[in-house]
Amino acid sequence: MPLEEVERRLREAYDRDFHFEEGRVLGSMCSKPEDIAVKYHALFSEANLGNRGLYPGTAELEEEIIGDISELMHLKGGWGQFVGGGTEGNITAMWIARNLSEKKKILAPESAHFSMKKATDLLAMELVDIPLDNEYRMDVDALEREMDGDVAAVMAVAGSTELGQVDPIKEISEVAGDVFLHVDAAFGGMVLPFLEDLGRWSGDWDFRVNGVDSLSVDLHKMGMSTVPSGILLLKERGYVDSISVESPYLTTKRNIGLAGTRPSGAVAGAYAVVKSMGRKGYRDVVKRCMENTEYLVGKMQDIGFEPVIKPIMNVVAFKTDRAEKIRKEMDKMGWKISTVRRPKAIRMVVMPYVTRKVIDEFTEALDGLGYA
Ligand code: 0PR
């Protein structure tokens, strides 16, 4: 194709996509990455940490950010690596738990992300859904009833996909005892530390809880960095021996993780955004998102919708029997929201690009449907 034609075709596809800055996507857990993240992601586009020895510079950036995020999650020592996202984080954690325990059962809350189904399918493990309490957190008594000698891992969620709810991780850890405990903080990991700073959250949910063995957190969600940017943290470095394989023809003797070639531009992108925003930068973003979430709740209540739970983070769902109908009709008007199955609800994620003006326009359009 002539270059002009190629570029025209790319532009056309780009224009057909929805873009966060247009403000009409209210159901995404990703955000427009910071400019500095995009710039340095592009600069490091050829880097491949799968063959670490060729990229000592990028490897150093990875180590530094893993160190910073470990500190944020109160992990001292341990081990961490960039992964493709929450899915790869969850699958890798379950892979380790299976190999360490040589057992097959995973106990996870009903609210767990669907990537847990992929994990158990791929690893030929068995996923047992643990029911939720009336606040939609994992029911610890129900977990206790399911604990037996076949359990390879318990997993808990810190910031559930549908409601932004946080499981009672300390209590879960007490019930799990010595069994491997994984925390999925894909979304909440870059929200909860700053909610704590703001006095909006208290209670341990990360490596401060002694029994937590692994935790995944995504920088391409509330970390404001480029896709794909997940991080998996392990309490003990030795855990990776259970999944590492010999890689004789590479610059390192053993290869660790699901991916071979690893998309490492995202590491530079993450470095750029984490270091330039710092704790204060993220705290300010979370503060604004929470204020806008509360503004959305107020506006929704004004037009007759009630939240399923008082939002803990910037994910909020509103009860309605007509969730799917509302989603479709709002979609026709260009608004992208998502739905929750249980309880039936419409769901919004108040990402940094969701402004009060957008919320006003959205609630006005929703009110016009007359479905409250
Ligand atoms: N764990 C939790 C708690 C999640 O919410 C998600 C994704 C994952 C794991 C999996 O993460 P990756 O998708 O990075 O592998 N949650 C959203 C979802 O699947 C992600 C999302 C992102 C949805 C952008 C919509 C969107 O526009 O629903």
Side-chain angles (χ1 to χ4, degrees):
M1 270 180 171
L3 194 56
E4 256 171 43
E5 171 78 8
V6 173
E7 290 199 56
R8 194 193 51 75
R9 175 74 192 95
L10 285 166
R11 279 279 150 203
E12 194 182 86
Y14 182 86
D15 290 341
R16 284 182 54 214
D17 286 352
F18 286 80
H19 297 283
F20 296 127
E21 66 262 37
E22 290 153 13
R24 298 215 148 193
V25 184
L26 299 189
S28 174
M29 293 187 126
C30 293
S31 196
K32 185 174 159 52
E34 293 287 297
D35 291 342
I36 192 165
V38 177
K39 180 174 166 191
Y40 285 96
H41 186 137
L43 182 67
F44 283 72
S45 60
E46 70 176 50
N48 168 19
L49 286 168
N51 196 14
R52 211 172 176 80
L54 292 189
Y55 305 97
T58 316
E60 211 171 281
L61 298 181
E62 179 178 46
E63 268 163 36
E64 204 174 323
I65 291 303
I66 293 294
D68 289 351
I69 302 298
S70 296
E71 202 181 314
L72 196 62
M73 310 290 140
H74 302 92
L75 172 63
K76 292 187 188 77
W79 178 90
Q81 184 164 286
F82 271 74
V83 292
T87 299
E88 193 182 328
N90 285 344
I91 294 173
T92 310
M94 293 307 108
W95 184 16
I96 291 169
R98 189 199 64 177
N99 287 5
L100 288 175
S101 68
E102 297 181 348
K103 292 175 183 168
K104 289 288 174 73
K105 208 189 280 184
I106 298 173
L107 308 184
E110 274 173 11
S111 52
H113 185 257
F114 57 74
S115 50
M116 290 303 296
K117 295 214 167 62
K118 299 184 187 180
T120 44
D121 189 26
L122 282 165
L123 295 162
M125 296 176 88
E126 180 201 350
L127 185 62
V128 178
D129 283 340
I130 305 297
L132 308 179
D133 65 15
N134 50 18
E135 286 286 303
Y136 305 96
R137 292 174 299 215
M138 191 202 276
D139 182 334
V140 181
D141 293 332
L143 172 69
E144 195 159 11
R145 286 194 291 277
E146 290 293 340
M147 287 297 294
D148 61 24
D150 299 329
V151 179
V154 173
M155 74 85 70
V157 188
S160 65
T161 312
E162 291 182 313
L163 299 177
Q165 184 55 287
V166 182
D167 287 326
I169 289 162
K170 203 153 184 264
E171 288 80 357
I172 290 169
S173 158
E174 280 157 18
V175 171
D178 290 338
V179 169
F180 194 96
L181 175 58
H182 172 63
V183 176
D184 178 351
F187 188 82
M190 289 305 281
V191 183
L192 286 168
F194 313 111
L195 289 180
E196 285 187 59
D197 286 357
L198 295 164
R200 285 170 172 265
W201 172 263
S202 67
D204 293 348
W205 56 276
D206 55 10
F207 287 101
R208 281 169 291 186
V209 178
N210 233 330
V212 172
D213 292 293
S214 63
L215 182 149
S216 56
V217 46
D218 285 350
L219 294 182
H220 61 218
K221 295 190 170 80
M222 282 297 283
M224 319 280 293
S225 198
T226 50
V227 174
S229 199
I231 286 177
L232 177 66
L233 298 175
L234 303 177
K235 186 179 180 175
E236 306 279 347
R237 203 207 176 282
Y239 289 172
V240 294
D241 296 341
S242 68
I243 58 161
S244 76
V245 295
E246 229 182 306
S247 51
Y249 40 80
L250 295 184
T251 48
T252 48
K253 289 208 168 56
R254 299 196 70 81
N255 187 259
I256 302 165
L258 209 53
T261 297
R262 286 202 284 135
S264 311
V267 171
Y271 189 96
V273 67
V274 166
K275 293 291 187 183
S276 63
M277 280 182 55
R279 193 163 189 129
K280 184 179 180 305
Y282 282 111
R283 189 191 307 141
D284 290 347
V285 167
V286 168
K287 181 167 184 281
R288 186 158 39 87
C289 290
M290 288 311 295
E291 286 166 358
N292 287 343
T293 303
E294 278 152 18
Y295 182 77
L296 171 66
V297 171
K299 281 269 167 179
M300 289 293 281
Q301 284 173 327
D302 288 347
I303 63 168
F305 288 91
E306 283 302 321
V308 175
I309 56 164
K310 186 174 181 293
I312 289 159
M313 45 189 81
N314 47 331
V315 180
V316 54
F318 296 90
K319 286 176 248 173
T320 166
D321 287 337
R322 298 176 177 152
E324 196 45 38
K325 199 165 171 47
I326 292 175
R327 191 194 63 74
K328 278 194 190 133
E329 299 218 3
M330 291 303 282
D331 188 86
K332 275 187 215 151
M333 290 188 271
W335 292 100
K336 300 286 176 191
I337 59 168
S338 53
T339 57
V340 175
R341 288 157 306 164
R342 244 187 316 155
K344 281 209 167 66
I346 48 173
R347 161 189 174 271
M348 290 75 136
V349 189
V350 186
M351 292 303 278
Y353 58 86
V354 179
T355 60
R356 292 193 179 202
K357 183 169 165 282
V358 167
I359 293 169
D360 289 342
E361 287 166 10
F362 171 76
T363 44
E364 198 184 315
L366 179 61
D367 193 28
L369 295 180
Y371 287 149

